[in-house]
């Protein structure tokens, strides 16, 4: 495709020996679940999940994802891993919220939303990289954070999470092609304050150094560490070798997520002098709480084979012959119904799903309960109790019916009535209430658990 000649970033980068695989994964489901942090229950805030369809409310360390998943939303058939991050909402002037839609990243295809995933080799070809072991999982970032970390401003960890505010659309333009995660004019660690005319790309680097022992740790972080060194503005984390600390000596592929948010529909609604109207699903208007989760699930040794053989500087899927590609149509066919009885997108919401009032910081955010949202979490803590037993009517956990309150979002159904009103529930697995809607609304099935009057 001759892209090498078109990408200033990569031309600039030829002084570095640099290689990676870079591929799109469409959306599997967007819902309030998080099997790492709150297994078995509804999670406090909404995530978008991508990858294999063995994703579940609980995911035991010994789950064999490649044999459990029957499809993946990712470009490579061998990849049955799961990846998830918070999603973005736009707060309208009247206080309501719309989910910011997503669009494919540059040069990725026609997948439905999702993310672009990178596995990046060390710049020094002599440093051997080891694929993640079976069962491995980790988290990058902290959803409770509401201020910049007080650490070396040029360290990889300081730039692990950032946002690119696109002012132009071309993929060769400097505001796309300059390296992500570097202290340039293009990236901010906070959510962009100005309107982003062509979208926002959120950028999240994971730690690439492992303790060599633990597949996971209680905080999902202590077994891994960011490599050390100083991030150069012209190279960014992506082109950096770094050194692993002695406590975490095993160099893994550098895992990197990009998510592209289509802010174009909201540009004219941007408040002139107000605070940013963007908010992440955990009630974070700062962006410092941006976070992502990873559960490794590649077949056998396939990721190792890719790391040992695929050295394209652009990471194009076509360049990695060792892996099998899935068509965009088949990626988009792989989806999973939400197990949480609420609407998180496609409608204007009165509040963020879950109990997520906007918390501006700078102190850490706190978990809130009692807002009437579908939730089984305990105020001020994450549940440690074992997951509730699945009910007889459903193969997975079905949340209890929500208790309507004055602050209940419009999407939560009122108590059963002979006729349902606008947005009321009118069907779904286990539903005993009214199944007809007041005119002019009709009962539309959203998924097997939920039909709604719209
Ligand atoms: C999710 O877990 C439940 C309970 O263990 C199980 O019955 C179900 O088959 C799992 N779903 C998938 C897609 O693996
Ligand atoms: C609030 O504003 C949004 C965006 O303009 C609009 O779609 C929605 O209907 C409004 N809601 C109310 C209750 O006025």
């Amino acid at each position: 495709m001759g892209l090498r000649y078109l990408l200033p970033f990569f031309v600039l980068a030829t002084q570095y020996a640099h290689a990676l695989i870079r591929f799109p994964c469409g959306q599997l489901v967007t819902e309030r679940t998080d099997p790492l942090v709150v297994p078995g229950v509804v999670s406090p805030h909404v995530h978008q999940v991508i990858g294999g369809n063995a994703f579940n409310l609980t995911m035991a360390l010994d789950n064999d994802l490649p044999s459990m998943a029957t499809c993946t939303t990712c470009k490579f058939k061998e990849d049955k891993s799961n990846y998830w991050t918070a999603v973005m909402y736009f707060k309208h002037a009247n206080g309501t919220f719309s989910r910011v839609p997503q669009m494919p990243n540059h040069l990725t295809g026609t997948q439905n939303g999702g993310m672009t995933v990178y596995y990046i080799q060390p710049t020094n070809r002599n440093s051997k990289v080891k694929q993640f072991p079976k069962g491995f999982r980790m988290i990058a970032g902290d959803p409770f954070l509401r201020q910049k970390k007080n650490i070396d401003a040029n360290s990889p960890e300081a730039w692990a999470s950032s946002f690119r505010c696109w002012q132009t659309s071309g993929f060769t333009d400097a505001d796309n092609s300059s390296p992500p995660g570097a202290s340039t004019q293009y990236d901010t660690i906070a959510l962009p304050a100005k309107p982003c005319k062509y979208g926002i790309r959120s950028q999240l680097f994971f730690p690439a150094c492992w303790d060599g022992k633990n597949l996971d740790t209680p905080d999902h972080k202590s077994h891994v560490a960011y490599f050390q060194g100083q991030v150069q503005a012209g190279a960014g984390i992506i082109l950096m070798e770094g050194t692993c600390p002695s406590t975490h000596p095993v160099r893994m592929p550098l895992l990197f997520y990009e998510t592209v948010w289509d802010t174009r529909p909201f540009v004219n609604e941007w408040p002139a002098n107000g605070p940013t109207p963007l908010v992440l699903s955990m009630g974070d208007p700062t962006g410092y709480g941006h976070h992502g989760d990873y559960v490794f699930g590649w077949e056998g040794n396939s990721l190792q084979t890719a790391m040992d053989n695929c050295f394209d500087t652009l990471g194009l899927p076509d360049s990695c012959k060792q892996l099998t590609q899935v068509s965009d149509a088949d990626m988009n066919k792989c989806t999973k119904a939400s197990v949480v009885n609420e609407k998180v997108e496609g409608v204007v919401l009165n509040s963020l799903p879950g109990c997520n009032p906007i918390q501006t910081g700078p102190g850490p955010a706190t978990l809130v309960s009692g807002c009437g949202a579908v939730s089984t979490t305990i105020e001020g803590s994450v549940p440690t109790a074992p997951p509730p037993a699945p009910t007889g009517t459903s193969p997975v956990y079905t949340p209890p019916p929500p208790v309507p309150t004055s602050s209940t979002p419009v999407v939560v159904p009122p108590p059963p009535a002979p006729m349902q009103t606008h947005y009321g529930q009118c069907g779904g697995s286990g539903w005993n209430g009214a199944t007809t809607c007041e005119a002019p609304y009709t009962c539309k099935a959203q998924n097997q658990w939920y039909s709604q009057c719209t």
Side-chain angles (χ1 to χ4, degrees), residues 53 56 336 395:
N53 67 344
N56 214 330
K336 210 171 174 301

Side-chain angles (χ1 to χ4, degrees), residues 102-115:
Q102 289 183 232
M103 56 182 177
N105 205 349
H106 293 109
L107 306 178
T108 55
T110 57
Q111 70 283 357
N112 170 29
M115 307 177 209

Side-chain angles (χ1 to χ4, degrees), residues 92-98 269 348 350:
H92 300 290
N94 65 13
T96 62
F97 299 87
S98 293
E269 262 194 75
V348 176
N350 282 345

Side-chain angles (χ1 to χ4, degrees), residues 29-33 43 45-48 55 337-340 344:
V29 63
T30 293
E31 62 181 0
R32 279 198 295 128
T33 50
S43 96
H45 55 263
V46 175
H47 294 117
Q48 175 191 220
F55 177 80
S338 174
V339 298
V340 184
V344 299

